[in-house]
Amino acid sequence: METRTVLVTGAAQGLGQEFAVALAGRGYRVAGLDLVPQPETAGRILDYVELVADVTDEAQIAAALDRVIDRFGTLHIVVNNAGVYPAKPFEETTPEDWRRIMRVNLEAPFLVVRAALPHLRAAGWGRVVNIASAAVFTAPPTMVPYVASKAGLIGFTRALAGALAPYDITVNAIAPSMVRTATAERTVGADGGFAQVRARQAVGRTQEPSDLVSTLLYVVDEGSGFLTGQTLNVSGGSVYL
Ligand SMILES: NC(=O)c1ccc[n+]([C@@H]2O[C@H](COP(=O)([O-])OP(=O)(O)OC[C@H]3O[C@@H](n4cnc5c(N)ncnc54)[C@H](O)[C@@H]3O)[C@@H](O)[C@H]2O)c1
């Protein structure tokens, strides 16, 4: 079988780094894109393509994809993982906050898939994976734009599944609970916030980035062609769909 090539956005740290390293470990050829350089990710992957670009900028996305094709000759899988999730009382949320969160979390996956589609179609097979959030279902009141953006991403996932099915491309979303990353720790406060989330999960420990890897591998697997338009709720039983 042809070696599959994957683009992971937000690959410098956190979930994106975990995904990039895990996929490389399973033999995928990995390109990682982030606003910032990714020395830690690059140091853990042989033959890593490191792309520094802004997922909200069409020209930067196009240039980054050109580099992937130059290096690997093809692209099969896009993992839309880059995202921002600042917490703020609704009363203090500005239109600029709203627009930035929507642009990074919702518009950017559209821009990335739109730019990647000719390459996925040329490859004749593809997978799009959007990293959503169980916050869509728990709806924390200090994250109104975030919840709206990730709810939009789930809608995007559903409609896009039908649009891309003719090209043998599946589109799915993964919805984690609160995962122990440096950004999550800064956002919710390492102890209080994680303890609150743990209390409403069935699984009584904090979710780690590695807890999402098996689901990602399942979704991108050759054998998962009948799984599309779905949101896989990997949230330790904090919500039941
Ligand atoms: N950590 C959690 O608790 C959690 C829970 C549910 C969902 N998620 C989602 O998972 C994803 C990753 O979360 P994380 O905790 O690993 O975050 P993180 O902050 O550790 O990593 C996100 C990465 O995205 C990059 N990024 C942000 N804006 C970008 C842009 N415009 N262009 C390119 N790169 C950009 C950042 O530089 C960063 O390296 C996000 O979409 C987040 O909403 C996280």
Side-chain angles (χ1 to χ4, degrees), residues 84-86 98 101-102 105-106 133-154:
V84 289
Y85 47 94
W98 175 275
I101 293 167
M102 286 296 168
N105 294 357
L106 183 54
S133 174
V136 173
F137 312 111
T138 58
T142 55
M143 299 183 108
V144 170
Y146 179 73
V147 171
S149 71
K150 294 293 189 180
L153 191 62
I154 289 175

Side-chain angles (χ1 to χ4, degrees), residues 9-16 33-36 53-56 80-85 104-105 131-135 146 150 174-184 186 194 207:
T9 70
Q13 56 180 16
L15 295 185
L33 181 155
D34 205 296
L35 273 179
V36 294
D54 184 338
V55 285
T56 68
N80 282 310
N81 165 78
V84 289
Y85 47 94
V104 178
N105 294 357
I131 306 306
S133 174
Y146 179 73
K150 294 293 189 180
I174 297 174
S177 181
M178 186 177 291
V179 188
R180 196 194 312 274
T181 65
T183 302
R186 272 199 310 278
F194 284 115
Q207 187 169 30

Side-chain angles (χ1 to χ4, degrees), residues 70-236:
D70 280 353
R71 176 74 166 272
F72 293 139
T74 184
L75 177 65
H76 302 99
I77 302 167
V78 174
V79 182
N80 282 310
N81 165 78
V84 289
Y85 47 94
K88 231 186 209 186
F90 178 70
E91 296 80 350
E92 294 169 22
T93 301
T94 64
E96 187 39 48
D97 292 331
W98 175 275
R99 284 187 205 111
R100 186 173 78 93
I101 293 167
M102 286 296 168
R103 286 192 71 199
V104 178
N105 294 357
L106 183 54
E107 185 178 323
F110 159 69
L111 294 178
V112 172
V113 171
R114 184 171 180 276
L117 185 56
H119 304 301
L120 303 182
R121 287 186 63 180
W125 180 95
R127 301 277 185 257
V128 175
V129 186
N130 297 319
I131 306 306
S133 174
V136 173
F137 312 111
T138 58
T142 55
M143 299 183 108
V144 170
Y146 179 73
V147 171
S149 71
K150 294 293 189 180
L153 191 62
I154 289 175
F156 173 65
T157 300
R158 293 176 180 179
L160 190 66
L164 302 195
Y167 311 120
D168 206 4
I169 300 169
T170 67
V171 186
N172 291 288
I174 297 174
S177 181
M178 186 177 291
V179 188
R180 196 194 312 274
T181 65
T183 302
E185 285 187 347
R186 272 199 310 278
T187 306
V188 298
D191 289 333
F194 284 115
Q196 268 179 26
V197 173
R198 272 199 305 276
R200 65 162 184 262
Q201 290 175 181
V203 179
R205 63 173 176 83
T206 297
Q207 187 169 30
E208 304 292 339
S210 56
D211 287 312
L212 293 152
V213 165
S214 61
T215 306
L216 177 68
L217 294 173
Y218 160 59
V219 169
V220 301
D221 192 78
E222 301 289 327
S224 298
F226 237 68
L227 180 80
T228 197
Q230 303 304 311
T231 297
L232 288 92
N233 168 37
V234 188
S235 65

Side-chain angles (χ1 to χ4, degrees), residues 11-26 28 30 38-50 209-210 213:
Q13 56 180 16
L15 295 185
Q17 179 178 90
E18 184 79 20
F19 294 154
V21 171
L23 288 161
R26 266 68 170 195
Y28 292 84
V30 178
Q38 304 128 55
E40 215 177 294
T41 313
R44 296 172 64 190
I45 299 177
L46 209 66
D47 202 20
Y48 180 64
V49 175
E50 181 183 31
S210 56
V213 165

